[in-house]
Amino acid sequence: MMRVLPPLLVIGGPAGAGKSTIADAVARLLDAPVVGLADSAGPDQHSVDLPSLQQRLDSHEEAPLVVVEGVYALALSPIRWAARWTVYVDTPLDLSLARRALSQDDPREVLRAYLDGGREAHARTVAPGRQLADLVVDGMQELPEIAARIHTFISRRS
């Protein structure tokens, strides 16, 4: 039997781009729950636990819309195919890296992971999401502007 899910707004982009903050702001405007992939520490899209994601989505089956956000959200075809709308948060890598590093008690681990292949992994798995997204937003803009742009985009394409 096929599961019927509420429409999904999927937000992807680099770790530290502002996806979670943007997802929360958009969800408040839309009165929608947010389901995060919690994937920013994983080495690639294969680290995402899809059965767990399905369970979390199932818990919101009565919602009018669900916002899904994560680094690999647009790299995973099952998520992308289930999405009604896809958004890529385009934030320069240096700013994303600084935000991510400063969010940790010890930023050295984040910096080491970046130097040990994080940049290449981003180019291989995350950056292509920019071309796959229905909408690309500038992660350097003010949060209210970004949230309003996404809200307007969804409203016009509903």
Side-chain angles (χ1 to χ4, degrees), residues 113-146:
Y114 183 79
L115 293 173
D116 289 344
R119 185 165 198 241
E120 291 79 17
H122 167 80
R124 191 175 57 256
T125 60
V126 180
R130 188 179 197 289
Q131 283 74 40
L132 298 170
D134 299 320
L135 176 67
V136 176
V137 295
D138 182 352
M140 304 260 308
Q141 286 186 313
E142 295 294 322
L143 179 59
E145 292 173 40
I146 297 171

Side-chain angles (χ1 to χ4, degrees), residues 8-14 17-20 22-23 26 30 67-75 79-80 83-91 126-139 141 146-154 157:
L8 301 181
L9 164 62
V10 175
I11 301 175
K19 296 175 306 300
S20 298
I22 292 166
V26 172
L30 298 169
V67 180
V68 177
E69 65 84 17
V71 172
Y72 301 117
L74 298 175
I79 297 171
R80 209 173 52 250
R84 179 165 301 168
W85 311 275
T86 56
V87 176
Y88 183 84
V89 181
D90 192 17
T91 304
V126 180
R130 188 179 197 289
Q131 283 74 40
L132 298 170
D134 299 320
L135 176 67
V136 176
V137 295
D138 182 352
Q141 286 186 313
I146 297 171
R149 183 165 180 220
I150 295 170
H151 184 264
T152 299
F153 172 77
I154 289 170
R157 296 194 79 189

Side-chain angles (χ1 to χ4, degrees), residues 1-157:
M1 175 186 256
M2 289 182 51
R3 293 182 186 152
V4 177
L5 294 173
L8 301 181
L9 164 62
V10 175
I11 301 175
K19 296 175 306 300
S20 298
T21 303
I22 292 166
D24 288 341
V26 172
R28 278 192 302 277
L29 291 174
L30 298 169
D31 193 28
V34 176
V35 174
L37 297 184
D39 60 350
S40 63
D44 60 32
Q45 71 272 24
H46 304 293
S47 63
V48 176
D49 184 350
L50 291 176
S52 172
L53 173 62
Q54 184 64 60
Q55 288 178 340
R56 289 181 285 144
L57 289 172
D58 288 346
S59 72
H60 300 293
E61 65 185 354
E62 300 300 320
L65 178 147
V66 177
V67 180
V68 177
E69 65 84 17
V71 172
Y72 301 117
L74 298 175
L76 290 161
S77 53
I79 297 171
R80 209 173 52 250
W81 292 337
R84 179 165 301 168
W85 311 275
T86 56
V87 176
Y88 183 84
V89 181
D90 192 17
T91 304
L93 282 184
D94 61 337
L95 181 58
S96 294
L97 177 62
R99 287 177 179 171
R100 176 86 173 112
L102 290 173
S103 73
Q104 305 299 307
D105 291 333
D106 184 355
R108 290 178 292 186
E109 186 177 319
V110 171
L111 297 172
R112 176 60 51 210
Y114 183 79
L115 293 173
D116 289 344
R119 185 165 198 241
E120 291 79 17
H122 167 80
R124 191 175 57 256
T125 60
V126 180
R130 188 179 197 289
Q131 283 74 40
L132 298 170
D134 299 320
L135 176 67
V136 176
V137 295
D138 182 352
M140 304 260 308
Q141 286 186 313
E142 295 294 322
L143 179 59
E145 292 173 40
I146 297 171
R149 183 165 180 220
I150 295 170
H151 184 264
T152 299
F153 172 77
I154 289 170
S155 298
R156 288 183 178 160
R157 296 194 79 189

